[in-house]
CSV table of all heavy atoms in Angstrom, one decimal:
chain,number,residue,atom,x,y,z
A,338,ARG,N,137.8,26.8,-210.0
A,338,ARG,CA,136.9,26.4,-208.9
A,338,ARG,C,136.5,27.6,-208.1
A,338,ARG,O,137.2,28.5,-208.0
A,338,ARG,CB,137.6,25.3,-208.0
A,338,ARG,CG,138.0,24.0,-208.7
A,338,ARG,CD,136.9,23.1,-208.8
A,338,ARG,NE,136.2,23.0,-207.6
A,338,ARG,CZ,136.5,22.1,-206.6
A,338,ARG,NH1,137.6,21.3,-206.7
A,338,ARG,NH2,135.9,22.0,-205.5
A,339,LEU,N,135.3,27.4,-207.5
A,339,LEU,CA,134.8,28.5,-206.5
A,339,LEU,C,135.4,28.2,-205.1
A,339,LEU,O,135.7,29.1,-204.4
A,339,LEU,CB,133.3,28.4,-206.5
A,339,LEU,CG,132.6,29.2,-207.5
A,339,LEU,CD1,132.8,28.7,-208.9
A,339,LEU,CD2,131.0,29.1,-207.2
A,340,VAL,N,135.4,26.9,-204.7
A,340,VAL,CA,135.8,26.5,-203.3
A,340,VAL,C,136.7,25.3,-203.4
A,340,VAL,O,136.4,24.4,-204.2
A,340,VAL,CB,134.6,26.2,-202.6
A,340,VAL,CG1,135.0,25.9,-201.1
A,340,VAL,CG2,133.5,27.2,-202.6
A,341,VAL,N,137.9,25.4,-202.7
A,341,VAL,CA,138.8,24.3,-202.7
A,341,VAL,C,139.2,23.9,-201.3
A,341,VAL,O,139.1,24.7,-200.4
A,341,VAL,CB,140.0,24.6,-203.6
A,341,VAL,CG1,139.6,24.7,-205.0
A,341,VAL,CG2,140.8,25.7,-203.0
A,342,ALA,N,139.7,22.7,-201.2
A,342,ALA,CA,140.4,22.3,-199.9
A,342,ALA,C,141.8,22.6,-200.1
A,342,ALA,O,142.5,22.0,-201.1
A,342,ALA,CB,140.1,20.8,-199.7
A,343,ASN,N,142.4,23.4,-199.2
A,343,ASN,CA,143.8,23.8,-199.5
A,343,ASN,C,144.7,23.3,-198.3
A,343,ASN,O,144.4,23.6,-197.1
A,343,ASN,CB,143.8,25.4,-199.4
A,343,ASN,CG,145.1,26.0,-199.9
A,343,ASN,OD1,145.8,25.4,-200.7
A,343,ASN,ND2,145.4,27.2,-199.4
A,344,TRP,N,145.7,22.5,-198.6
A,344,TRP,CA,146.6,22.0,-197.6
A,344,TRP,C,147.5,23.0,-197.1
A,344,TRP,O,148.2,23.7,-198.0
A,344,TRP,CB,147.4,20.8,-198.2
A,344,TRP,CG,148.3,20.2,-197.2
A,344,TRP,CD1,149.7,20.4,-197.1
A,344,TRP,CD2,148.0,19.4,-196.0
A,344,TRP,NE1,150.2,19.7,-196.0
A,344,TRP,CE2,149.2,19.2,-195.3
A,344,TRP,CE3,146.7,18.8,-195.5
A,344,TRP,CZ2,149.2,18.4,-194.2
A,344,TRP,CZ3,146.8,18.1,-194.3
A,344,TRP,CH2,147.9,17.9,-193.7
A,345,VAL,N,147.5,23.3,-195.8
A,345,VAL,CA,148.4,24.3,-195.3
A,345,VAL,C,149.4,23.7,-194.4
A,345,VAL,O,149.2,23.2,-193.3
A,345,VAL,CB,147.6,25.4,-194.4
A,345,VAL,CG1,148.4,26.5,-194.0
A,345,VAL,CG2,146.4,25.9,-195.3
A,346,GLU,N,150.7,23.5,-195.0
A,346,GLU,CA,151.7,22.7,-194.4
A,346,GLU,C,151.9,23.2,-192.9
A,346,GLU,O,152.1,22.4,-192.0
A,346,GLU,CB,153.0,22.8,-195.2
A,346,GLU,CG,154.1,21.8,-194.7
A,346,GLU,CD,153.7,20.4,-194.9
A,346,GLU,OE1,152.9,20.1,-195.8
A,346,GLU,OE2,154.1,19.6,-193.9
A,347,LYS,N,152.0,24.5,-192.7
A,347,LYS,CA,152.4,25.0,-191.4
A,347,LYS,C,151.3,24.7,-190.3
A,347,LYS,O,151.7,24.7,-189.2
A,347,LYS,CB,152.7,26.5,-191.4
A,347,LYS,CG,151.5,27.4,-191.6
A,347,LYS,CD,152.0,28.9,-191.5
A,347,LYS,CE,151.0,29.9,-191.8
A,347,LYS,NZ,151.5,31.3,-191.7
A,348,PHE,N,150.2,24.4,-190.7
A,348,PHE,CA,149.1,24.0,-189.7
A,348,PHE,C,148.9,22.5,-189.8
A,348,PHE,O,148.1,21.9,-189.0
A,348,PHE,CB,147.8,24.7,-190.0
A,348,PHE,CG,147.9,26.2,-189.8
A,348,PHE,CD1,147.1,27.0,-190.6
A,348,PHE,CD2,148.7,26.8,-188.8
A,348,PHE,CE1,147.2,28.4,-190.5
A,348,PHE,CE2,148.8,28.1,-188.7
A,348,PHE,CZ,148.0,28.9,-189.5
A,349,ASN,N,149.6,21.8,-190.8
A,349,ASN,CA,149.4,20.4,-191.0
A,349,ASN,C,148.0,20.0,-191.1
A,349,ASN,O,147.5,19.0,-190.5
A,349,ASN,CB,150.1,19.6,-189.8
A,349,ASN,CG,150.2,18.1,-190.1
A,349,ASN,OD1,150.4,17.7,-191.3
A,349,ASN,ND2,150.0,17.3,-189.1
A,350,THR,N,147.2,20.8,-191.9
A,350,THR,CA,145.8,20.5,-192.0
A,350,THR,C,145.3,21.2,-193.3
A,350,THR,O,145.9,22.1,-193.8
A,350,THR,CB,145.0,21.1,-190.8
A,350,THR,OG1,143.6,20.7,-190.9
A,350,THR,CG2,145.1,22.7,-190.8
A,351,HIS,N,144.1,20.7,-193.6
A,351,HIS,CA,143.4,21.5,-194.8
A,351,HIS,C,142.6,22.6,-194.3
A,351,HIS,O,142.1,22.5,-193.1
A,351,HIS,CB,142.4,20.4,-195.5
A,351,HIS,CG,143.0,19.4,-196.5
A,351,HIS,ND1,143.3,18.1,-196.1
A,351,HIS,CD2,143.6,19.7,-197.7
A,351,HIS,CE1,143.9,17.5,-197.2
A,351,HIS,NE2,144.0,18.4,-198.1
A,352,ARG,N,142.4,23.6,-195.1
A,352,ARG,CA,141.4,24.7,-194.9
A,352,ARG,C,140.6,24.6,-196.1
A,352,ARG,O,141.0,24.3,-197.2
A,352,ARG,CB,142.1,26.0,-194.8
A,352,ARG,CG,143.0,26.3,-193.5
A,352,ARG,CD,142.1,26.6,-192.3
A,352,ARG,NE,142.8,27.1,-191.2
A,352,ARG,CZ,143.1,28.4,-190.9
A,352,ARG,NH1,142.7,29.3,-191.8
A,352,ARG,NH2,143.7,28.7,-189.8
A,353,ILE,N,139.3,25.0,-195.9
A,353,ILE,CA,138.4,25.1,-197.0
A,353,ILE,C,138.2,26.6,-197.4
A,353,ILE,O,137.9,27.4,-196.4
A,353,ILE,CB,137.0,24.4,-196.9
A,353,ILE,CG1,137.2,22.9,-196.5
A,353,ILE,CG2,136.0,24.7,-197.9
A,353,ILE,CD1,136.9,22.4,-195.2
A,354,THR,N,138.4,26.9,-198.7
A,354,THR,CA,138.5,28.4,-198.9
A,354,THR,C,137.9,28.7,-200.3
A,354,THR,O,138.0,27.9,-201.3
A,354,THR,CB,139.9,28.9,-198.9
A,354,THR,OG1,139.9,30.3,-199.0
A,354,THR,CG2,140.8,28.2,-200.0
A,355,MET,N,137.2,29.8,-200.3
A,355,MET,CA,136.9,30.4,-201.6
A,355,MET,C,138.1,30.8,-202.3
A,355,MET,O,139.2,31.1,-201.7
A,355,MET,CB,135.9,31.6,-201.4
A,355,MET,CG,134.5,31.1,-201.0
A,355,MET,SD,133.4,32.6,-201.0
A,355,MET,CE,131.9,31.7,-200.4
A,356,THR,N,138.1,30.9,-203.6
A,356,THR,CA,139.3,31.2,-204.4
A,356,THR,C,139.3,32.7,-204.9
A,356,THR,O,138.3,33.4,-204.8
A,356,THR,CB,139.3,30.3,-205.6
A,356,THR,OG1,138.0,30.5,-206.4
A,356,THR,CG2,139.4,28.8,-205.2
A,357,PHE,N,140.5,33.1,-205.5
A,357,PHE,CA,140.6,34.4,-205.9
A,357,PHE,C,139.5,34.8,-206.8
A,357,PHE,O,139.0,35.9,-206.7
A,357,PHE,CB,142.0,34.6,-206.5
A,357,PHE,CG,143.1,34.9,-205.6
A,357,PHE,CD1,144.2,34.0,-205.6
A,357,PHE,CD2,143.1,35.8,-204.6
A,357,PHE,CE1,145.3,34.1,-204.7
A,357,PHE,CE2,144.2,36.0,-203.6
A,357,PHE,CZ,145.2,35.1,-203.7
A,358,PRO,N,139.2,34.0,-207.8
A,358,PRO,CA,138.1,34.5,-208.8
A,358,PRO,C,136.8,34.9,-208.1
A,358,PRO,O,136.2,35.8,-208.4
A,358,PRO,CB,137.9,33.3,-209.7
A,358,PRO,CG,139.2,32.5,-209.7
A,358,PRO,CD,139.7,32.7,-208.3
A,359,VAL,N,136.5,34.1,-207.0
A,359,VAL,CA,135.3,34.4,-206.3
A,359,VAL,C,135.4,35.8,-205.6
A,359,VAL,O,134.6,36.7,-205.7
A,359,VAL,CB,134.8,33.3,-205.3
A,359,VAL,CG1,133.7,33.7,-204.5
A,359,VAL,CG2,134.6,32.0,-206.1
A,360,LEU,N,136.5,35.9,-204.8
A,360,LEU,CA,136.8,37.2,-204.1
A,360,LEU,C,136.8,38.3,-205.1
A,360,LEU,O,136.1,39.3,-204.8
A,360,LEU,CB,138.2,37.1,-203.4
A,360,LEU,CG,138.3,36.5,-202.1
A,360,LEU,CD1,137.5,35.2,-202.0
A,360,LEU,CD2,139.8,36.3,-201.6
A,361,ASN,N,137.4,38.2,-206.3
A,361,ASN,CA,137.5,39.3,-207.2
A,361,ASN,C,136.3,39.5,-208.1
A,361,ASN,O,136.2,40.5,-208.8
A,361,ASN,CB,138.7,39.1,-208.1
A,361,ASN,CG,140.0,39.3,-207.3
A,361,ASN,OD1,140.0,40.1,-206.4
A,361,ASN,ND2,141.0,38.6,-207.7
A,362,HIS,N,135.3,38.7,-207.9
A,362,HIS,CA,133.9,39.0,-208.6
A,362,HIS,C,133.0,39.7,-207.6
A,362,HIS,O,131.8,39.9,-208.1
A,362,HIS,CB,133.4,37.7,-209.2
A,362,HIS,CG,134.0,37.3,-210.5
A,362,HIS,ND1,135.2,36.7,-210.7
A,362,HIS,CD2,133.5,37.6,-211.8
A,362,HIS,CE1,135.5,36.5,-211.9
A,362,HIS,NE2,134.5,37.0,-212.6
A,363,SER,N,133.4,40.0,-206.5
A,363,SER,CA,132.5,40.5,-205.5
A,363,SER,C,132.2,42.0,-205.9
A,363,SER,O,133.0,42.7,-206.5
A,363,SER,CB,133.1,40.5,-204.1
A,363,SER,OG,133.5,39.2,-203.7
A,364,ALA,N,131.0,42.4,-205.4
A,364,ALA,CA,130.6,43.9,-205.6
A,364,ALA,C,131.4,44.8,-204.7
A,364,ALA,O,131.7,45.9,-205.1
A,364,ALA,CB,129.1,44.1,-205.4
A,365,CYS,N,131.7,44.2,-203.5
A,365,CYS,CA,132.5,45.0,-202.6
A,365,CYS,C,133.3,44.0,-201.7
A,365,CYS,O,132.8,43.1,-201.2
A,365,CYS,CB,131.6,45.8,-201.7
A,365,CYS,SG,132.5,46.8,-200.4
A,366,VAL,N,134.6,44.2,-201.7
A,366,VAL,CA,135.5,43.5,-200.8
A,366,VAL,C,135.9,44.5,-199.7
A,366,VAL,O,136.3,45.6,-200.0
A,366,VAL,CB,136.8,43.0,-201.5
A,366,VAL,CG1,137.7,42.5,-200.5
A,366,VAL,CG2,136.4,42.0,-202.6
A,367,MET,N,135.6,44.1,-198.5
A,367,MET,CA,135.9,44.9,-197.3
A,367,MET,C,136.9,44.3,-196.4
A,367,MET,O,136.6,43.2,-195.9
A,367,MET,CB,134.7,45.4,-196.6
A,367,MET,CG,135.0,46.3,-195.4
A,367,MET,SD,133.4,47.1,-194.8
A,367,MET,CE,132.7,45.8,-193.8
A,368,PHE,N,138.1,44.8,-196.3
A,368,PHE,CA,139.1,44.2,-195.4
A,368,PHE,C,139.0,44.9,-194.0
A,368,PHE,O,138.8,46.2,-194.0
A,368,PHE,CB,140.6,44.5,-195.9
A,368,PHE,CG,140.9,43.6,-197.0
A,368,PHE,CD1,140.9,43.8,-198.3
A,368,PHE,CD2,141.4,42.2,-196.6
A,368,PHE,CE1,141.3,42.9,-199.3
A,368,PHE,CE2,141.9,41.3,-197.6
A,368,PHE,CZ,141.8,41.7,-198.9
A,369,LEU,N,139.2,44.1,-193.0
A,369,LEU,CA,139.2,44.7,-191.6
A,369,LEU,C,140.5,44.3,-191.0
A,369,LEU,O,140.8,43.1,-190.9
A,369,LEU,CB,138.0,43.9,-190.9
A,369,LEU,CG,137.4,44.6,-189.7
A,369,LEU,CD1,136.9,46.0,-190.0
A,369,LEU,CD2,136.3,43.7,-189.2
A,370,VAL,N,141.3,45.3,-190.7
A,370,VAL,CA,142.7,45.0,-190.3
A,370,VAL,C,143.0,45.8,-189.0
A,370,VAL,O,142.9,47.0,-189.1
A,370,VAL,CB,143.7,45.3,-191.4
A,370,VAL,CG1,145.2,44.8,-190.9
A,370,VAL,CG2,143.3,44.6,-192.7
Side-chain angles (χ1 to χ4, degrees):
R338 298 281 309 278
L339 274 58
V340 185
V341 294
N343 194 27
W344 178 257
V345 186
E346 189 61 34
K347 70 176 176 180
F348 297 142
N349 192 35
T350 185
H351 282 102
R352 290 280 190 93
I353 295 117
T354 186
M355 288 185 179
T356 57
F357 282 122
V359 174
L360 274 47
N361 288 330
H362 277 79
S363 304
C365 177
V366 174
M367 180 161 82
F368 279 98
L369 202 56
V370 188

